[in-house]
Amino acid sequence: AARGSGSTALRPQEGGIPFSFDFNAFRSRLRHPVLGTRADESKEPQSLVRAQREKIKEMMQFAWRSYRLYAMGKNELRPLTKDGYEGNMFGGLSGATIIDSLDTLYLMELQEEFQEAKAWVEENFHLNVSGEASLFEVNIRYIGGLLSAFYLTGEEVFRVKAIKLGEKLLPAFNTPTGIPKGVVNFKSGSNRSWGWAMAGSSSILAEFGSLHLEFLHLTELSGNQVFAEKVRNIRKVLRKINKPFGLYPNFLSPVSGNWMQHHVSVGGLGDSFYEYLIKSWLMSAKTDVEAKDMYYEALEAIETYLVNVSPGGLTYIAEWRGGILDHKMGHLACFSGGMIALGAEDAKEEKRAHYRELAAQITKTCHESYARSDTKLGPEAFWFNSGREAVATQLSESYYILRPEVVESYMYLWRQTHDPIYREWGWEVVLALEKYCRTEAGFSGIQDVYSSVPNHDNKQQTFFLAETLKYLYLLFSEDDMLSLEDWVFNTEAHPLPVNHSDSSSRAGGRL
């Protein structure tokens, strides 16, 4: 077995999985050091950026220590009641915050905290659970987090746990079309669709469309082709199916392979499907031409039918219901500025500048949703109608649950343009988080961004540590820290390596 960076191979009683992945060869193919080269700290402007970065690191340390103190091993911290929360998304798996935090702790060089997290995974992360789990959430948070931790450290425990957990998700794909259902029972191996998804008849585009990156890496690290075959079949179904106006509706029957209705969204239910197309192209070192073509075709349809400019000049992506537009954007859709920026350089030459500008305009609109609130944090959804723009119109959409999508776009736009406005906007978010979301025992979402007296929701979401703080930290770091030449981020911000296979050809299937 090839060894990791000084890590020993698993002993037989630890349930080792045959290993042909050469970690040192993988690391030698990276174009940049994982943590980047350090900036010249004697430069005056750098000292401000360094202080800002250190502040974000302190926030991560505080979020982690609060979790460790009051909720260690539970899935999430409830900071107001100072206890832990398990939830029912993960099928009985524990420690979601721990797995989601591993790569952020490593990136920020919080070595003591990283070792605590790793020790918990080694000693207490058990896979013999028997509940019902979300295929999507377990994949992006747990498998994504474990894969990244392995690629960053070479520690075998992360690889083995990722592969074994991946195997537990495979029964979700036992359907007539191979399109997985959204829920898998870890005990019986049965599967079902979410009851709310067209009365339990549908799989969700964002869920079955956001498995590709992780499953190709599971094949890469295990040699087991089944993972890659499952996601290639999903791609095949989506290639063949008729798409209304080139758009992908959000609900698909895993039995018939037909769309169940014509609701299209680049926010919730649709979002990360599009993200994984362009990232599959980038992760393949630009060899997965099918993913590239599907992405740009989808983007053209989105721009033709969904992109609008408000009377006040704000560019937004509406939602489409059988040809009728809802003039609103969800916070979740605000990742799309970053996605479009990321994909701009590989577009047709005459479209590149256009996509860069579109990315900047959408990101600006999402910033406006923050700027127009009393807390300077953005609502869950915001509308463009009757003279009110980029604001939520009802209390049920006015909450903020520590979401990352807006700062994610700031990070990508910063890396592409180095326009200082993106760091200014990012710093506004840091200050708002500190003022309105920091409590005595962790960070909490708030129920109304338009009230300057925060009503906390008592939840420190795992993605706050995995995504929001990581993207903020990268925004204030050098470009070669987790360089976009070497890494793509899954939709939970877990970095997965680009397949630089130029120095050797490997067995076990190319990514």
Side-chain angles (χ1 to χ4, degrees), residues 2-286:
R3 303 282 165 94
S5 52
S7 68
T8 54
L10 283 189
R11 295 184 291 280
Q13 68 267 30
E14 290 179 276
I17 289 173
F19 193 18
S20 60
F21 184 83
D22 187 333
F23 184 78
N24 291 325
F26 148 68
R27 288 301 285 261
S28 72
R29 287 193 293 271
L30 293 177
R31 308 281 197 257
H32 303 273
V34 174
L35 298 181
T37 47
R38 294 298 184 265
D40 178 359
E41 298 198 342
S42 64
K43 290 182 188 167
E44 184 51 41
Q46 285 303 327
S47 60
L48 171 62
V49 174
R50 196 163 74 248
Q52 291 171 312
R53 193 166 60 238
E54 287 299 315
K55 175 61 196 169
I56 297 159
K57 180 173 175 176
E58 183 277 328
M59 293 164 73
M60 179 67 187
Q61 208 163 16
F62 172 68
W64 171 263
R65 286 181 176 167
S66 300
Y67 167 80
R68 186 192 63 200
L69 192 57
Y70 299 112
M72 190 67 178
K74 295 285 197 287
N75 282 324
E76 288 176 316
L77 164 68
R78 297 195 300 182
L80 301 191
T81 45
K82 298 182 180 174
D83 59 3
Y85 174 77
E86 286 295 273
N88 53 10
M89 274 194 310
F90 304 123
L93 294 171
S94 300
T97 290
I98 298 172
I99 308 279
D100 241 359
S101 296
L102 282 162
D103 51 22
T104 310
L105 294 171
Y106 181 87
L107 179 69
M108 294 186 183
E109 299 177 86
L110 292 167
Q111 284 147 357
E112 184 184 322
E113 292 86 347
F114 178 82
Q115 291 303 326
E116 289 168 352
K118 180 188 156 207
W120 185 89
V121 174
E122 287 174 326
E123 295 157 23
N124 299 301
F125 183 47
H126 305 301
L127 303 185
N128 55 338
V129 293
S130 57
E132 284 195 320
S134 162
L135 166 69
F136 169 74
E137 297 291 356
V138 170
N139 178 60
I140 66 169
R141 301 193 203 205
Y142 283 91
I143 290 180
L146 291 165
L147 289 171
S148 290
F150 173 72
Y151 281 118
L152 291 172
T153 67
E155 296 285 356
E156 267 288 80
V157 62
F158 301 130
R159 183 186 75 92
V160 172
K161 298 267 190 191
I163 294 165
K164 288 187 168 177
L165 189 50
E167 289 167 354
K168 291 177 75 74
L169 295 179
L170 292 174
F173 294 83
N174 294 338
T175 67
T177 58
I179 295 289
K181 293 187 177 180
V183 182
V184 62
N185 187 307
F186 281 149
K187 186 174 188 180
S188 67
S190 61
N191 63 32
R192 66 177 177 88
S193 295
W194 295 108
W196 52 263
M198 303 296 292
S201 66
S202 290
S203 296
I204 308 298
L205 179 68
E207 296 196 342
F208 65 78
S210 306
L211 304 167
H212 206 92
L213 304 181
E214 298 84 358
F215 272 51
L216 289 185
H217 278 289
L218 288 174
T219 284
E220 184 78 359
L221 294 183
S222 68
N224 185 347
Q225 290 299 322
V226 68
F227 300 110
E229 286 162 7
K230 296 297 186 194
V231 292
R232 289 194 179 116
N233 177 66
I234 293 171
R235 177 85 65 79
K236 195 167 89 184
V237 172
L238 289 172
R239 275 306 266 177
K240 288 200 316 205
I241 193 171
N242 180 50
K243 291 166 276 291
F245 303 101
L247 297 165
Y248 290 83
N250 292 335
F251 295 96
L252 181 75
S253 165
V255 177
S256 70
N258 295 321
W259 303 118
M260 296 303 288
Q261 46 67 302
H262 285 180
H263 175 219
V264 177
S265 166
V266 181
L269 306 180
D271 48 11
S272 45
F273 162 69
Y274 305 99
E275 173 189 356
Y276 272 39
L277 290 177
I278 189 62
K279 288 179 176 177
S280 294
W281 158 251
L282 295 171
M283 193 177 85
S284 70
K286 306 188 179 181

Side-chain angles (χ1 to χ4, degrees), residues 446-465:
I446 55 176
Q447 289 172 357
D448 184 7
V449 297
Y450 303 105
S451 166
S452 53
V453 181
N455 191 3
H456 292 109
D457 67 8
N458 196 25
K459 210 165 177 196
Q460 181 174 280
Q461 303 276 353
T462 80
F463 52 69
F464 179 66
L465 295 85

